[in-house]
Amino acid sequence: MQRRSFVLTSAGAALAWSAGSVRAASDLVLGQSAPLTGPLSPPVLAFNAGAQMAFDTLNARGGVAGRRLRWITADDQGDPALARAICDKLITEQNATALFGCAGSMSLAAIEPLLRQHGVPALGGLWVADSVRTQCQGAAYFVRASHAQEAAALALHLATVGLQRIGVVHLATPFGEEGLKLIADALAAQGLTLAGTAAVTPDGATAQEAARKLLALAPQAIVMFIHGSQAATVMATAADLRRHPAFYGLSIVSDEDAIRRIGAQARGLAISQVVPYPWSESDRQIADYRSQAASAKVPIGYASLEGWLNAQVLIEALQRCHGDLGRARLHATLNVLQWYVAGMRVNFSRQELSGSRFVELVQLTEAGRYLH
């Protein structure tokens, strides 16, 4: 499947279309607004690569009800105003049936009124705070488990292994502050002590300072609600200071490129993952994912698997529309969808913040490989 993308000619100027294939009248259009460049782009690009190969495979088999899926992606640079402008054009000019893979809490919050105004469903959001998921209920469908569910799983594990004094490092943003509260509440529910907290600015400039602040409190473990490149700095700082607390991260830490750069210091880092193990030998659908990834030369990993799985959920919903591929029918189908895919149960009919409750902890080796 060929994708086309927006380009922004100047600040506040109209968005233009880049060169690409001519759209067929029967194409079913999907749209995405997400940071496709900059420090936050690697996980999004990996997600997109996994989703695209799923759409390509479907199109090679004739599409849905004879219609090919055409996915238009756009780089919003993490700017909510730009995300809204992009999505407005996707919906009104490109007649997108659905938005897929949009990223960022503030961007989803900015897009939400458009979704309701035009009756367009959104599926597969990334890095969306639980509060924004609540705001988007009935307009957007999030497959991955909520951050509260991730925090609860981590806190239960910490209590089980007997780690009591916990430090938390989080993003210095509203998204990060919300993550901190969810983690603190989960720790309290398990009777664990919050030894201290530290915030990291989005550009990562204060990551070393935050690490030093927490390490001075001698925590037994540090839970990270920051991005992978920032986590790498925190862990490297600890190694330089010869401090060795246990490190844990919610799934936003899982930037696989950044994790690999940590090197030997990554040994023992545990991350809560919200999709199944991509290297599973027992699940037929995950084997299909790996086969498609090998053919498409897409690196196997959690981010690309998440994109592939989200695409499979959307494809299943479209197929259940039985040829009526309008926005309203897709909404109605997603709203009651229950499906088991690749070892993960997706159930939107519960009307929860996520279709899936799947969370499991995995550890990294010194070589940056995940142990399941």
Side-chain angles (χ1 to χ4, degrees), residues 227-250:
H227 296 294
S229 58
Q230 299 155 351
T233 300
V234 169
M235 295 184 71
T237 302
D240 290 343
L241 295 173
R242 297 185 180 180
R243 303 291 182 85
H244 303 287
F247 281 99
Y248 293 84
L250 276 73

Side-chain angles (χ1 to χ4, degrees), residues 126-193:
L126 297 171
W127 309 324
V128 182
D130 290 5
S131 61
V132 176
R133 294 189 189 203
T134 300
Q135 176 184 338
C136 292
Q137 277 190 304
Y141 304 85
F142 302 96
V143 174
R144 57 164 37 222
S146 68
H147 292 125
Q149 290 167 325
E150 288 191 64
L154 276 176
L156 176 60
H157 172 81
L158 291 167
T160 301
V161 299
L163 297 174
Q164 292 291 320
R165 284 177 50 79
I166 315 299
V168 178
V169 57
H170 62 93
L171 289 166
T173 63
F175 175 64
E177 292 288 345
E178 181 174 323
L180 169 62
K181 184 179 185 308
L182 292 173
I183 295 166
D185 288 347
L187 294 175
Q190 295 295 333
L192 304 179
T193 302

